[in-house]
Amino acid sequence: RMLQNIMKLIFIRHAEPDYSIDSLTEKGFYEAGLLAKRTAAWHVTDFFCSPLGRAIKTSEPTLACHGRTATIYDWLQEFRIPVSSEGRPDGKTIPWDFMPEYLNRYPELLDADRWLDTPVMKSGNVKEAYNNVCQSFDALLEKYGYVREGLAYSTTHTQSSCGYMVYNGTTKECIDNHTDDEPVLVFFCHLGIMLCIMSHLLNTSPVTLWQGFFTPPSSVTVLSAEERIPGLAYFRCQMLGDTSHLRLNDEPVSYYGGFAPPFQG
């Protein structure tokens, strides 16, 4: 079968942050430089960025390397919608910071069909904010020929004239059948909003991702659209929180956003 122009979505979390000034630490700027070297050979269709300073500063070396600019979207900023919290002094928390005992008491937070209707999420403007992010992201994908249809995406793009769908081929065959006209969208953003968008693409509760996955600063996450049936795509995560640009340069992985030391091997 002919291979269609399969979309790649690349999410880059901002480099090590200095939250006090919404920028980067000295290490963060170094991470952003290493990231730019990693991206130099990428064939990127379009770049997008959060309006927050730490994301913008992370994007600058890569954009300079490619001679490009990024489109800024407000809905790509961090998903910090305040909700009620029984154990916090001010009575507030963010919807992606719960203790395990809270999840034991309210397991419906991990249910894709029920999490938005839980009392804690209803205590803030979470439903409206989440739906706005999902609808905004779907509107963007539609510009590239991917239209939300139930839990998947119908595709309106044209077929490529070269390449074949390879299910059990060799790595060389897969590389040889790659085409550079595949749409590749790169997003410079934040841990919470990235996992929020991924929950929509993968049809799961974002609380499952927020509580269960860590993507380090400057890390790279890749999702690819798969068309096992031509014309109907589903996104699959190929790479999550990859920091090989740091490891290959003996630069430690930063811990910001996690509650255990990251593996440095």
Side-chain angles (χ1 to χ4, degrees):
R1 288 186 297 169
M2 302 304 292
L3 178 66
Q4 298 207 333
N5 301 338
I6 303 303
M7 172 178 279
K8 294 282 192 304
L9 305 175
I10 302 178
F11 294 93
I12 297 174
R13 187 186 173 196
H14 60 76
E16 184 175 271
D18 183 336
Y19 288 118
S20 66
I21 57 172
D22 188 24
S23 185
L24 304 179
T25 63
E26 182 179 352
K27 170 175 166 53
F29 282 107
Y30 183 61
E31 290 177 358
L34 294 178
L35 175 70
K37 293 179 181 178
R38 174 178 181 172
T39 71
W42 292 4
H43 299 278
V44 178
T45 307
D46 288 305
F47 291 94
F48 305 92
C49 190
S50 156
L52 299 185
R54 54 193 183 272
I56 291 174
K57 291 298 183 182
T58 303
S59 74
E60 287 176 347
T62 291
L63 294 174
C65 180
H66 287 262
R68 302 281 294 279
T69 59
T71 301
I72 306 295
Y73 282 127
D74 283 343
W75 50 266
L76 272 177
Q77 64 184 287
E78 187 56 290
F79 196 80
R80 297 186 62 87
I81 310 301
V83 295
S84 63
S85 173
E86 301 168 5
R88 301 296 178 94
D90 61 357
K92 293 291 184 181
T93 187
I94 48 180
W96 39 276
D97 186 14
F98 299 118
M99 296 295 184
E101 60 89 19
Y102 195 86
L103 299 178
N104 280 337
R105 288 162 54 197
Y106 303 102
E108 58 270 26
L109 284 167
L110 304 178
D111 188 317
D113 297 320
R114 301 169 62 197
W115 75 277
L116 275 173
D117 295 320
T118 55
V120 66
M121 294 304 174
K122 285 187 172 182
S123 71
N125 196 28
V126 177
K127 189 170 188 176
E128 182 179 348
Y130 180 78
N131 287 338
N132 176 62
V133 169
C134 296
Q135 291 165 9
S136 298
F137 198 79
D138 282 345
L140 177 63
L141 293 189
E142 191 167 345
K143 295 178 181 178
Y144 297 88
Y146 287 77
V147 180
R148 185 82 176 188
E149 185 175 299
L151 301 181
Y153 290 82
S154 62
T155 59
T156 59
H157 50 232
T158 58
Q159 288 187 327
S160 172
S161 60
C162 62
Y164 294 87
M165 190 71 74
V166 178
Y167 293 117
N168 297 303
T170 66
T171 299
K172 183 179 186 302
E173 286 174 316
C174 291
I175 293 173
D176 289 345
N177 288 319
H178 170 77
T179 158
D180 287 338
D181 61 357
E182 296 168 351
V184 175
L185 310 184
V186 174
F187 301 85
F188 289 90
C189 54
H190 313 263
L191 186 155
I193 190 63
M194 179 192 76
L195 296 178
C196 179
I197 293 169
M198 285 179 61
S199 76
H200 176 60
L201 295 172
L202 303 178
N203 300 294
T204 191
S205 166
V207 181
T208 300
L209 304 185
W210 287 332
Q211 297 292 141
F213 293 89
F214 170 61
T215 59
S218 83
S219 65
V220 175
T221 295
V222 180
L223 284 84
S224 178
E226 294 184 346
E227 291 186 41
R228 299 179 68 180
I229 299 175
L232 190 63
Y234 197 87
F235 285 91
R236 179 175 293 197
C237 185
Q238 294 186 336
M239 180 185 298
L240 180 70
D242 183 80
T243 54
S244 56
H245 54 288
L246 302 182
R247 300 181 192 278
L248 292 173
N249 288 277
D250 297 320
E251 180 66 18
V253 177
S254 179
Y255 68 90
Y256 285 73
F259 298 94
F263 181 63
Q264 301 289 350

